[in-house]
Amino acid sequence: MFNETIQVQNVKKNYPLPKGKGEFEALKGISFSVAKGEIFGILGPNGAGKTTTLEIIESLKQQSSGKIKVLDFDNLEQGDEIKKRIGVQLQSSEYLPLLTLGELLDLFASFYGKKADRSKLLNLVGLAEKENEQVKNLSGGQKQRFTIATSLVNEPEILFLDEPTTGLDPAGRKQIWQLIKQINKTGITIIMTTHYMEEAEYLCDRVAILDKGKILTINEPKKLIEDLSHTTQISFLINKEIGPDIFKNIPEIEKIYSQYPKVILEITSLDCVSNIVKLLKDKQVQFSGFTVKTASLEDVYLDLTGKEFENLNGKNQ
């Protein structure tokens, strides 16, 4: 295992509620570490505390309690030292409209007392031919790639990416994925937030699943998925709502999730599929879009939180 570049120990963050109504706990005592050279993902829905976590590690906010070390620097006492050594890509960025990409890179580099290597940075993000263009002339995907270029002007040891592909189409998203992999191969440690399960599964060496300010689990995506590999998932659409007991006599069904008109069943054996189909027909439930698949990271999240679908059979999730 590589040396740890980030250490987060029992970090809490509280915000005062209006009218003196106490405090809102955004982070409820989270702990994790990030290894040198790793792509570490923080996965969770909007409001889970992902951006707050990054901002505290980056020394942009202070935690209410707990300790953080970044490259052996304390985030509260040595925040300026941390900022010199990290790169940060925010969810959204605004730029001076009349400057070209090359001029903006020079500007960002000047904040660190450096001279931007325009050619190297723009080549890295596939924008070499856009050096004399203004940001307003870039597509959404190009702007995201340029934002990553600006975060690399100081040659950081750690790169922070906050939902780097939000709002992009599938093609643009995959271009960013390839870029992140390419940057990581140069030795830069990457910590990123995302709410795209496929993104975390493809990019991250490990993921922390964060929900309501708590870390539910941390592991390699494939190991989290292996924990659910004893089940197969089938899903289908139905034409009318079904009650909680409809599948109670099929023991191979381990979990039942439903958000009308979609039903998802986790089953331990494919042998029961014919019984499920027969039952639906007997109950005069029309169904379509019948699919069978093995577990994914999305299923891990669903299994841990039960958030996306209401559990019908009353089992704990």
Side-chain angles (χ1 to χ4, degrees):
M1 192 69 169
F2 296 108
N3 295 329
E4 293 176 347
T5 59
I6 298 172
Q7 299 169 324
V8 177
Q9 298 178 353
N10 196 29
V11 167
K12 298 180 181 181
K13 179 62 177 177
N14 300 330
Y15 293 100
L17 292 172
K19 300 180 180 179
K21 294 183 178 179
E23 293 184 320
F24 168 69
E25 293 181 289
L27 296 177
K28 301 174 181 178
I30 64 171
S31 299
F32 63 89
S33 61
V34 179
K36 180 177 172 59
E38 185 175 28
I39 301 180
F40 184 89
I42 302 177
L43 177 63
N46 293 330
K50 303 189 301 298
T51 298
T52 297
T53 299
L54 288 200
E55 290 177 340
I56 292 173
I57 298 172
E58 295 159 359
S59 295
L60 298 178
K61 287 183 179 178
Q62 293 189 357
Q63 64 267 36
S64 301
S65 62
K67 292 187 176 182
I68 292 176
K69 285 255 181 122
V70 180
L71 299 168
D72 287 331
F73 295 107
D74 183 276
N75 74 309
L76 297 179
E77 297 179 1
Q78 299 166 295
D80 288 343
E81 294 299 324
I82 291 172
K83 291 172 185 175
K84 293 176 185 177
R85 293 164 172 80
I86 65 173
V88 177
Q89 174 265 329
L90 305 175
Q91 284 188 32
S92 60
S93 300
E94 296 296 330
Y95 300 97
L96 296 172
L98 299 181
L99 297 185
T100 66
L101 301 195
E103 290 168 340
L104 286 167
L105 289 176
D106 289 341
L107 176 63
F108 276 82
S110 71
F111 298 154
Y112 297 94
K114 293 179 176 288
K115 180 175 175 59
D117 190 335
R118 292 185 178 189
S119 178
K120 178 182 176 181
L121 290 168
L122 292 175
N123 269 307
L124 176 64
V125 300
L127 295 173
E129 75 285 359
K130 302 287 186 180
E131 181 177 342
N132 297 313
E133 289 276 1
Q134 296 174 342
V135 174
K136 66 181 182 181
N137 297 324
L138 301 182
S139 68
Q142 290 173 333
K143 185 176 180 181
Q144 287 287 71
R145 300 205 308 272
F146 177 68
T147 299
I148 292 176
T150 64
S151 70
L152 297 172
V153 293
N154 62 322
E155 299 179 329
E157 296 178 55
I158 305 173
L159 177 61
F160 291 84
L161 303 174
D162 196 1
E163 299 194 2
T165 63
T166 296
L168 299 184
D169 60 28
R173 188 174 299 151
K174 290 186 177 180
Q175 286 181 333
I176 296 292
W177 292 358
Q178 294 302 324
L179 175 58
I180 291 170
K181 287 276 193 181
Q182 187 178 352
I183 292 169
N184 181 242
K185 285 180 180 178
T186 68
I188 296 176
T189 302
I190 295 175
I191 177 169
M192 60 179 289
T193 67
T194 181
H195 58 260
Y196 294 120
M197 307 294 173
E198 183 186 5
E199 182 164 281
E201 194 171 336
Y202 177 78
L203 287 174
C204 298
D205 298 302
R206 289 186 303 142
V207 295
I209 296 181
L210 184 67
D211 185 42
K212 294 181 179 178
K214 292 183 178 180
I215 291 179
L216 304 182
T217 189
I218 301 175
N219 213 328
E220 299 172 31
K222 66 179 181 180
K223 290 186 177 178
L224 292 173
I225 293 167
E226 284 171 1
D227 289 341
L228 288 183
S229 63
H230 65 285
T231 64
T232 300
Q233 188 182 95
I234 63 173
S235 62
F236 48 88
L237 303 176
I238 54 177
N239 70 326
K240 62 181 180 180
E241 295 194 50
I242 57 178
D245 298 326
I246 187 171
F247 299 111
K248 66 181 180 181
N249 293 322
I250 303 179
E252 296 90 347
I253 298 176
E254 188 166 278
K255 289 187 179 180
I256 304 170
Y257 307 98
S258 179
Q259 184 176 359
Y260 178 77
K262 188 172 185 178
V263 176
I264 297 177
L265 307 176
E266 288 183 11
I267 60 176
T268 56
S269 171
L270 289 172
D271 294 339
C272 71
V273 171
S274 59
N275 292 334
I276 292 170
V277 171
K278 182 178 184 301
L279 177 64
L280 292 171
K281 289 181 177 178
D282 290 345
K283 298 292 186 180
Q284 298 182 331
V285 178
Q286 297 178 17
F287 59 93
S288 61
F290 201 94
T291 61
V292 180
K293 70 182 185 74
T294 55
S296 67
L297 194 58
E298 185 170 0
D299 303 317
V300 173
Y301 181 77
L302 177 62
D303 187 69
L304 287 169
T305 67
K307 273 195 161 184
E308 295 182 22
F309 301 92
E310 180 184 359
N311 189 285
L312 285 183
N313 64 356
K315 294 181 182 178
N316 293 328
Q317 298 178 26

mmCIF file of all heavy atoms in Angstrom, residues 86-128:
data_model
loop_
_atom_site.group_PDB
_atom_site.id
_atom_site.type_symbol
_atom_site.label_atom_id
_atom_site.label_comp_id
_atom_site.label_asym_id
_atom_site.label_seq_id
_atom_site.Cartn_x
_atom_site.Cartn_y
_atom_site.Cartn_z
ATOM 1 N N ILE A 86 -2.001 21.460 -4.002
ATOM 2 C CA ILE A 86 -3.177 20.767 -4.529
ATOM 3 C C ILE A 86 -3.753 21.530 -5.726
ATOM 4 O O ILE A 86 -3.504 22.721 -5.900
ATOM 5 C CB ILE A 86 -4.269 20.601 -3.450
ATOM 6 C CG1 ILE A 86 -4.821 21.961 -3.010
ATOM 7 C CG2 ILE A 86 -3.736 19.806 -2.266
ATOM 8 C CD1 ILE A 86 -6.023 21.874 -2.074
ATOM 9 N N GLY A 87 -4.517 20.811 -6.528
ATOM 10 C CA GLY A 87 -5.294 21.417 -7.591
ATOM 11 C C GLY A 87 -6.758 21.162 -7.325
ATOM 12 O O GLY A 87 -7.129 20.094 -6.831
ATOM 13 N N VAL A 88 -7.602 22.138 -7.644
ATOM 14 C CA VAL A 88 -9.025 22.043 -7.325
ATOM 15 C C VAL A 88 -9.858 22.379 -8.544
ATOM 16 O O VAL A 88 -9.697 23.455 -9.140
ATOM 17 C CB VAL A 88 -9.395 22.993 -6.158
ATOM 18 C CG1 VAL A 88 -10.894 22.932 -5.884
ATOM 19 C CG2 VAL A 88 -8.604 22.650 -4.907
ATOM 20 N N GLN A 89 -10.738 21.442 -8.924
ATOM 21 C CA GLN A 89 -11.727 21.697 -9.971
ATOM 22 C C GLN A 89 -13.089 21.746 -9.297
ATOM 23 O O GLN A 89 -13.509 20.775 -8.662
ATOM 24 C CB GLN A 89 -11.688 20.600 -11.044
ATOM 25 C CG GLN A 89 -12.779 20.693 -12.098
ATOM 26 C CD GLN A 89 -13.984 19.819 -11.760
ATOM 27 O OE1 GLN A 89 -13.857 18.772 -11.142
ATOM 28 N NE2 GLN A 89 -15.155 20.252 -12.180
ATOM 29 N N LEU A 90 -13.759 22.879 -9.396
ATOM 30 C CA LEU A 90 -15.045 23.068 -8.743
ATOM 31 C C LEU A 90 -16.180 22.577 -9.643
ATOM 32 O O LEU A 90 -15.988 22.326 -10.834
ATOM 33 C CB LEU A 90 -15.256 24.541 -8.400
ATOM 34 C CG LEU A 90 -14.158 25.190 -7.552
ATOM 35 C CD1 LEU A 90 -14.437 26.675 -7.385
ATOM 36 C CD2 LEU A 90 -14.045 24.503 -6.199
ATOM 37 N N GLN A 91 -17.387 22.452 -9.061
ATOM 38 C CA GLN A 91 -18.540 22.015 -9.843
ATOM 39 C C GLN A 91 -18.828 22.970 -10.996
ATOM 40 O O GLN A 91 -19.234 22.558 -12.071
ATOM 41 C CB GLN A 91 -19.780 21.895 -8.947
ATOM 42 C CG GLN A 91 -19.780 20.669 -8.068
ATOM 43 C CD GLN A 91 -21.100 20.485 -7.355
ATOM 44 O OE1 GLN A 91 -22.150 20.836 -7.863
ATOM 45 N NE2 GLN A 91 -21.054 19.930 -6.155
ATOM 46 N N SER A 92 -18.642 24.261 -10.764
ATOM 47 C CA SER A 92 -18.850 25.246 -11.832
ATOM 48 C C SER A 92 -17.826 26.353 -11.661
ATOM 49 O O SER A 92 -17.421 26.676 -10.542
ATOM 50 C CB SER A 92 -20.264 25.823 -11.783
ATOM 51 O OG SER A 92 -20.506 26.471 -10.551
ATOM 52 N N SER A 93 -17.395 26.912 -12.784
ATOM 53 C CA SER A 93 -16.376 27.961 -12.753
ATOM 54 C C SER A 93 -16.745 29.067 -13.721
ATOM 55 O O SER A 93 -17.336 28.812 -14.777
ATOM 56 C CB SER A 93 -15.002 27.383 -13.134
ATOM 57 O OG SER A 93 -14.617 26.359 -12.249
ATOM 58 N N GLU A 94 -16.401 30.292 -13.357
ATOM 59 C CA GLU A 94 -16.589 31.449 -14.240
ATOM 60 C C GLU A 94 -15.232 32.057 -14.538
ATOM 61 O O GLU A 94 -14.353 32.096 -13.663
ATOM 62 C CB GLU A 94 -17.502 32.481 -13.573
ATOM 63 C CG GLU A 94 -18.921 31.990 -13.316
ATOM 64 C CD GLU A 94 -19.681 31.669 -14.593
ATOM 65 O OE1 GLU A 94 -19.406 32.312 -15.628
ATOM 66 O OE2 GLU A 94 -20.540 30.769 -14.552
ATOM 67 N N TYR A 95 -15.052 32.555 -15.768
ATOM 68 C CA TYR A 95 -13.769 33.096 -16.193
ATOM 69 C C TYR A 95 -13.944 34.513 -16.741
ATOM 70 O O TYR A 95 -15.026 34.878 -17.203
ATOM 71 C CB TYR A 95 -13.149 32.203 -17.269
ATOM 72 C CG TYR A 95 -12.896 30.790 -16.812
ATOM 73 C CD1 TYR A 95 -13.802 29.766 -17.085
ATOM 74 C CD2 TYR A 95 -11.738 30.482 -16.099
ATOM 75 C CE1 TYR A 95 -13.563 28.472 -16.658
ATOM 76 C CE2 TYR A 95 -11.492 29.190 -15.664
ATOM 77 C CZ TYR A 95 -12.414 28.182 -15.946
ATOM 78 O OH TYR A 95 -12.182 26.898 -15.512
ATOM 79 N N LEU A 96 -12.856 35.278 -16.708
ATOM 80 C CA LEU A 96 -12.872 36.609 -17.316
ATOM 81 C C LEU A 96 -13.159 36.454 -18.801
ATOM 82 O O LEU A 96 -12.418 35.780 -19.521
ATOM 83 C CB LEU A 96 -11.532 37.302 -17.087
ATOM 84 C CG LEU A 96 -11.191 37.604 -15.618
ATOM 85 C CD1 LEU A 96 -9.764 38.109 -15.498
ATOM 86 C CD2 LEU A 96 -12.168 38.608 -15.037
ATOM 87 N N PRO A 97 -14.251 37.046 -19.290
ATOM 88 C CA PRO A 97 -14.759 36.710 -20.621
ATOM 89 C C PRO A 97 -13.885 37.127 -21.794
ATOM 90 O O PRO A 97 -13.973 36.544 -22.874
ATOM 91 C CB PRO A 97 -16.112 37.428 -20.663
ATOM 92 C CG PRO A 97 -15.988 38.550 -19.691
ATOM 93 C CD PRO A 97 -15.107 38.026 -18.599
ATOM 94 N N LEU A 98 -13.040 38.135 -21.625
ATOM 95 C CA LEU A 98 -12.269 38.649 -22.754
ATOM 96 C C LEU A 98 -10.879 38.014 -22.879
ATOM 97 O O LEU A 98 -10.157 38.297 -23.841
ATOM 98 C CB LEU A 98 -12.136 40.173 -22.649
ATOM 99 C CG LEU A 98 -13.457 40.948 -22.672
ATOM 100 C CD1 LEU A 98 -13.191 42.446 -22.580
ATOM 101 C CD2 LEU A 98 -14.263 40.624 -23.937
ATOM 102 N N LEU A 99 -10.506 37.151 -21.919
ATOM 103 C CA LEU A 99 -9.202 36.501 -21.982
ATOM 104 C C LEU A 99 -9.292 35.190 -22.751
ATOM 105 O O LEU A 99 -10.299 34.485 -22.692
ATOM 106 C CB LEU A 99 -8.659 36.237 -20.575
ATOM 107 C CG LEU A 99 -8.372 37.452 -19.694
ATOM 108 C CD1 LEU A 99 -7.727 37.019 -18.385
ATOM 109 C CD2 LEU A 99 -7.476 38.451 -20.420
ATOM 110 N N THR A 100 -8.228 34.852 -23.454
ATOM 111 C CA THR A 100 -8.159 33.575 -24.163
ATOM 112 C C THR A 100 -7.777 32.467 -23.186
ATOM 113 O O THR A 100 -7.357 32.738 -22.043
ATOM 114 C CB THR A 100 -7.125 33.636 -25.288
ATOM 115 O OG1 THR A 100 -5.817 33.781 -24.700
ATOM 116 C CG2 THR A 100 -7.408 34.786 -26.239
ATOM 117 N N LEU A 101 -7.872 31.221 -23.651
ATOM 118 C CA LEU A 101 -7.493 30.092 -22.791
ATOM 119 C C LEU A 101 -6.039 30.208 -22.368
ATOM 120 O O LEU A 101 -5.702 29.979 -21.194
ATOM 121 C CB LEU A 101 -7.710 28.761 -23.516
ATOM 122 C CG LEU A 101 -9.125 28.420 -24.022
ATOM 123 C CD1 LEU A 101 -9.206 26.940 -24.371
ATOM 124 C CD2 LEU A 101 -10.200 28.798 -23.020
ATOM 125 N N GLY A 102 -5.172 30.562 -23.303
ATOM 126 C CA GLY A 102 -3.761 30.707 -22.963
ATOM 127 C C GLY A 102 -3.532 31.787 -21.931
ATOM 128 O O GLY A 102 -2.751 31.609 -20.977
ATOM 129 N N GLU A 103 -4.214 32.906 -22.084
ATOM 130 C CA GLU A 103 -4.062 34.009 -21.130
ATOM 131 C C GLU A 103 -4.613 33.633 -19.753
ATOM 132 O O GLU A 103 -4.050 34.016 -18.719
ATOM 133 C CB GLU A 103 -4.773 35.251 -21.672
ATOM 134 C CG GLU A 103 -4.076 35.862 -22.880
ATOM 135 C CD GLU A 103 -4.913 36.899 -23.597
ATOM 136 O OE1 GLU A 103 -6.159 36.898 -23.424
ATOM 137 O OE2 GLU A 103 -4.338 37.712 -24.340
ATOM 138 N N LEU A 104 -5.704 32.872 -19.732
ATOM 139 C CA LEU A 104 -6.261 32.435 -18.453
ATOM 140 C C LEU A 104 -5.313 31.486 -17.735
ATOM 141 O O LEU A 104 -5.156 31.568 -16.509
ATOM 142 C CB LEU A 104 -7.624 31.766 -18.678
ATOM 143 C CG LEU A 104 -8.781 32.716 -18.998
ATOM 144 C CD1 LEU A 104 -9.989 31.948 -19.509
ATOM 145 C CD2 LEU A 104 -9.170 33.539 -17.767
ATOM 146 N N LEU A 105 -4.665 30.602 -18.475
ATOM 147 C CA LEU A 105 -3.682 29.713 -17.850
ATOM 148 C C LEU A 105 -2.533 30.513 -17.258
ATOM 149 O O LEU A 105 -2.059 30.216 -16.152
ATOM 150 C CB LEU A 105 -3.165 28.702 -18.876
ATOM 151 C CG LEU A 105 -4.148 27.619 -19.322
ATOM 152 C CD1 LEU A 105 -3.533 26.752 -20.416
ATOM 153 C CD2 LEU A 105 -4.578 26.734 -18.143
ATOM 154 N N ASP A 106 -2.085 31.545 -17.974
ATOM 155 C CA ASP A 106 -1.023 32.414 -17.440
ATOM 156 C C ASP A 106 -1.488 33.082 -16.149
ATOM 157 O O ASP A 106 -0.718 33.199 -15.178
ATOM 158 C CB ASP A 106 -0.655 33.488 -18.464
ATOM 159 C CG ASP A 106 0.097 32.928 -19.662
ATOM 160 O OD1 ASP A 106 0.653 31.817 -19.558
ATOM 161 O OD2 ASP A 106 0.119 33.605 -20.717
ATOM 162 N N LEU A 107 -2.736 33.539 -16.142
ATOM 163 C CA LEU A 107 -3.280 34.206 -14.961
ATOM 164 C C LEU A 107 -3.305 33.257 -13.760
ATOM 165 O O LEU A 107 -2.862 33.616 -12.657
ATOM 166 C CB LEU A 107 -4.681 34.731 -15.254
ATOM 167 C CG LEU A 107 -5.438 35.367 -14.083
ATOM 168 C CD1 LEU A 107 -4.711 36.621 -13.591
ATOM 169 C CD2 LEU A 107 -6.881 35.705 -14.487
ATOM 170 N N PHE A 108 -3.825 32.053 -13.985
ATOM 171 C CA PHE A 108 -3.902 31.086 -12.881
ATOM 172 C C PHE A 108 -2.510 30.723 -12.380
ATOM 173 O O PHE A 108 -2.293 30.598 -11.165
ATOM 174 C CB PHE A 108 -4.663 29.833 -13.330
ATOM 175 C CG PHE A 108 -6.156 29.961 -13.227
ATOM 176 C CD1 PHE A 108 -6.878 30.593 -14.221
ATOM 177 C CD2 PHE A 108 -6.844 29.458 -12.139
ATOM 178 C CE1 PHE A 108 -8.259 30.720 -14.134
ATOM 179 C CE2 PHE A 108 -8.226 29.582 -12.040
ATOM 180 C CZ PHE A 108 -8.942 30.221 -13.040
ATOM 181 N N ALA A 109 -1.560 30.543 -13.288
ATOM 182 C CA ALA A 109 -0.201 30.190 -12.880
ATOM 183 C C ALA A 109 0.436 31.306 -12.062
ATOM 184 O O ALA A 109 1.217 31.052 -11.128
ATOM 185 C CB ALA A 109 0.642 29.882 -14.110
ATOM 186 N N SER A 110 0.086 32.554 -12.390
ATOM 187 C CA SER A 110 0.673 33.691 -11.665
ATOM 188 C C SER A 110 0.272 33.692 -10.194
ATOM 189 O O SER A 110 0.991 34.228 -9.350
ATOM 190 C CB SER A 110 0.261 35.009 -12.330
ATOM 191 O OG SER A 110 -1.130 35.289 -12.109
ATOM 192 N N PHE A 111 -0.871 33.097 -9.862
ATOM 193 C CA PHE A 111 -1.294 33.021 -8.464
ATOM 194 C C PHE A 111 -0.316 32.194 -7.630
ATOM 195 O O PHE A 111 -0.257 32.326 -6.409
ATOM 196 C CB PHE A 111 -2.684 32.407 -8.352
ATOM 197 C CG PHE A 111 -3.768 33.202 -9.041
ATOM 198 C CD1 PHE A 111 -4.919 32.573 -9.507
ATOM 199 C CD2 PHE A 111 -3.649 34.564 -9.233
ATOM 200 C CE1 PHE A 111 -5.924 33.292 -10.140
ATOM 201 C CE2 PHE A 111 -4.646 35.297 -9.871
ATOM 202 C CZ PHE A 111 -5.787 34.652 -10.322
ATOM 203 N N TYR A 112 0.415 31.299 -8.306
ATOM 204 C CA TYR A 112 1.383 30.443 -7.618
ATOM 205 C C TYR A 112 2.818 30.897 -7.862
ATOM 206 O O TYR A 112 3.762 30.196 -7.495
ATOM 207 C CB TYR A 112 1.228 28.992 -8.107
ATOM 208 C CG TYR A 112 -0.117 28.382 -7.803
ATOM 209 C CD1 TYR A 112 -1.146 28.428 -8.737
ATOM 210 C CD2 TYR A 112 -0.364 27.761 -6.577
ATOM 211 C CE1 TYR A 112 -2.391 27.866 -8.465
ATOM 212 C CE2 TYR A 112 -1.590 27.203 -6.297
ATOM 213 C CZ TYR A 112 -2.604 27.265 -7.249
ATOM 214 O OH TYR A 112 -3.821 26.712 -6.965
ATOM 215 N N GLY A 113 2.981 32.054 -8.511
ATOM 216 C CA GLY A 113 4.316 32.527 -8.830
ATOM 217 C C GLY A 113 5.003 31.687 -9.883
ATOM 218 O O GLY A 113 6.229 31.574 -9.912
ATOM 219 N N LYS A 114 4.208 31.078 -10.764
ATOM 220 C CA LYS A 114 4.751 30.191 -11.788
ATOM 221 C C LYS A 114 4.408 30.728 -13.176
ATOM 222 O O LYS A 114 3.557 31.599 -13.333
ATOM 223 C CB LYS A 114 4.187 28.775 -11.639
ATOM 224 C CG LYS A 114 4.623 28.046 -10.370
ATOM 225 C CD LYS A 114 3.996 26.667 -10.299
ATOM 226 C CE LYS A 114 4.490 25.877 -9.078
ATOM 227 N NZ LYS A 114 5.883 25.437 -9.249
ATOM 228 N N LYS A 115 5.031 30.126 -14.185
ATOM 229 C CA LYS A 115 4.711 30.416 -15.573
ATOM 230 C C LYS A 115 4.012 29.190 -16.151
ATOM 231 O O LYS A 115 4.517 28.075 -16.035
ATOM 232 C CB LYS A 115 5.975 30.740 -16.368
ATOM 233 C CG LYS A 115 5.706 31.062 -17.836
ATOM 234 C CD LYS A 115 6.978 31.495 -18.528
ATOM 235 C CE LYS A 115 6.747 31.711 -20.020
ATOM 236 N NZ LYS A 115 5.717 32.739 -20.309
ATOM 237 N N ALA A 116 2.864 29.390 -16.755
ATOM 238 C CA ALA A 116 2.086 28.261 -17.276
ATOM 239 C C ALA A 116 2.755 27.667 -18.503
ATOM 240 O O ALA A 116 3.219 28.398 -19.387
ATOM 241 C CB ALA A 116 0.677 28.720 -17.628
ATOM 242 N N ASP A 117 2.791 26.330 -18.545
ATOM 243 C CA ASP A 117 3.221 25.628 -19.752
ATOM 244 C C ASP A 117 1.970 25.427 -20.605
ATOM 245 O O ASP A 117 1.323 24.382 -20.557
ATOM 246 C CB ASP A 117 3.877 24.294 -19.388
ATOM 247 C CG ASP A 117 4.548 23.628 -20.570
ATOM 248 O OD1 ASP A 117 4.129 23.900 -21.716
ATOM 249 O OD2 ASP A 117 5.463 22.822 -20.355
ATOM 250 N N ARG A 118 1.620 26.455 -21.359
ATOM 251 C CA ARG A 118 0.359 26.443 -22.119
ATOM 252 C C ARG A 118 0.236 25.204 -23.001
ATOM 253 O O ARG A 118 -0.794 24.511 -22.996
ATOM 254 C CB ARG A 118 0.267 27.689 -23.003
ATOM 255 C CG ARG A 118 0.103 29.004 -22.303
ATOM 256 C CD ARG A 118 -0.078 30.074 -23.366
ATOM 257 N NE ARG A 118 -0.300 31.411 -22.826
ATOM 258 C CZ ARG A 118 -0.646 32.447 -23.585
ATOM 259 N NH1 ARG A 118 -0.787 32.283 -24.898
ATOM 260 N NH2 ARG A 118 -0.845 33.639 -23.042
ATOM 261 N N SER A 119 1.271 24.957 -23.757
ATOM 262 C CA SER A 119 1.225 23.862 -24.726
ATOM 263 C C SER A 119 1.003 22.516 -24.042
ATOM 264 O O SER A 119 0.149 21.719 -24.465
ATOM 265 C CB SER A 119 2.522 23.835 -25.538
ATOM 266 O OG SER A 119 2.524 22.758 -26.445
ATOM 267 N N LYS A 120 1.745 22.261 -22.972
ATOM 268 C CA LYS A 120 1.628 20.991 -22.257
ATOM 269 C C LYS A 120 0.223 20.804 -21.679
ATOM 270 O O LYS A 120 -0.391 19.741 -21.839
ATOM 271 C CB LYS A 120 2.670 20.930 -21.135
ATOM 272 C CG LYS A 120 2.599 19.663 -20.294
ATOM 273 C CD LYS A 120 3.634 19.710 -19.172
ATOM 274 C CE LYS A 120 3.517 18.492 -18.258
ATOM 275 N NZ LYS A 120 4.509 18.545 -17.149
ATOM 276 N N LEU A 121 -0.296 21.854 -21.039
ATOM 277 C CA LEU A 121 -1.600 21.744 -20.385
ATOM 278 C C LEU A 121 -2.724 21.585 -21.398
ATOM 279 O O LEU A 121 -3.623 20.752 -21.225
ATOM 280 C CB LEU A 121 -1.847 22.977 -19.512
ATOM 281 C CG LEU A 121 -0.971 23.080 -18.254
ATOM 282 C CD1 LEU A 121 -1.088 24.466 -17.638
ATOM 283 C CD2 LEU A 121 -1.362 22.012 -17.240
ATOM 284 N N LEU A 122 -2.700 22.367 -22.456
ATOM 285 C CA LEU A 122 -3.781 22.299 -23.442
ATOM 286 C C LEU A 122 -3.715 21.012 -24.257
ATOM 287 O O LEU A 122 -4.748 20.450 -24.642
ATOM 288 C CB LEU A 122 -3.748 23.528 -24.348
ATOM 289 C CG LEU A 122 -4.102 24.846 -23.647
ATOM 290 C CD1 LEU A 122 -3.919 26.024 -24.590
ATOM 291 C CD2 LEU A 122 -5.535 24.814 -23.115
ATOM 292 N N ASN A 123 -2.506 20.522 -24.512
ATOM 293 C CA ASN A 123 -2.376 19.227 -25.178
ATOM 294 C C ASN A 123 -2.940 18.107 -24.307
ATOM 295 O O ASN A 123 -3.603 17.194 -24.806
ATOM 296 C CB ASN A 123 -0.905 18.940 -25.515
ATOM 297 C CG ASN A 123 -0.519 19.438 -26.887
ATOM 298 O OD1 ASN A 123 -1.164 19.112 -27.879
ATOM 299 N ND2 ASN A 123 0.529 20.245 -26.956
ATOM 300 N N LEU A 124 -2.649 18.192 -23.013
ATOM 301 C CA LEU A 124 -3.117 17.158 -22.084
ATOM 302 C C LEU A 124 -4.633 17.027 -22.118
ATOM 303 O O LEU A 124 -5.181 15.922 -22.104
ATOM 304 C CB LEU A 124 -2.651 17.479 -20.659
ATOM 305 C CG LEU A 124 -3.135 16.531 -19.557
ATOM 306 C CD1 LEU A 124 -2.572 15.131 -19.755
ATOM 307 C CD2 LEU A 124 -2.740 17.066 -18.181
ATOM 308 N N VAL A 125 -5.337 18.159 -22.188
ATOM 309 C CA VAL A 125 -6.807 18.121 -22.136
ATOM 310 C C VAL A 125 -7.439 18.186 -23.527
ATOM 311 O O VAL A 125 -8.655 18.363 -23.659
ATOM 312 C CB VAL A 125 -7.350 19.265 -21.244
ATOM 313 C CG1 VAL A 125 -6.827 19.129 -19.825
ATOM 314 C CG2 VAL A 125 -6.998 20.633 -21.810
ATOM 315 N N GLY A 126 -6.616 18.031 -24.568
ATOM 316 C CA GLY A 126 -7.149 17.968 -25.927
ATOM 317 C C GLY A 126 -7.662 19.286 -26.464
ATOM 318 O O GLY A 126 -8.581 19.323 -27.279
ATOM 319 N N LEU A 127 -7.053 20.401 -26.038
ATOM 320 C CA LEU A 127 -7.515 21.726 -26.467
ATOM 321 C C LEU A 127 -6.377 22.563 -27.050
ATOM 322 O O LEU A 127 -6.419 23.799 -27.018
ATOM 323 C CB LEU A 127 -8.152 22.472 -25.284
ATOM 324 C CG LEU A 127 -9.433 21.878 -24.708
ATOM 325 C CD1 LEU A 127 -9.841 22.632 -23.453
ATOM 326 C CD2 LEU A 127 -10.561 21.911 -25.734
ATOM 327 N N ALA A 128 -5.372 21.917 -27.611
ATOM 328 C CA ALA A 128 -4.209 22.637 -28.113
ATOM 329 C C ALA A 128 -4.583 23.686 -29.158
ATOM 330 O O ALA A 128 -3.996 24.777 -29.196
ATOM 331 C CB ALA A 128 -3.194 21.648 -28.693
#
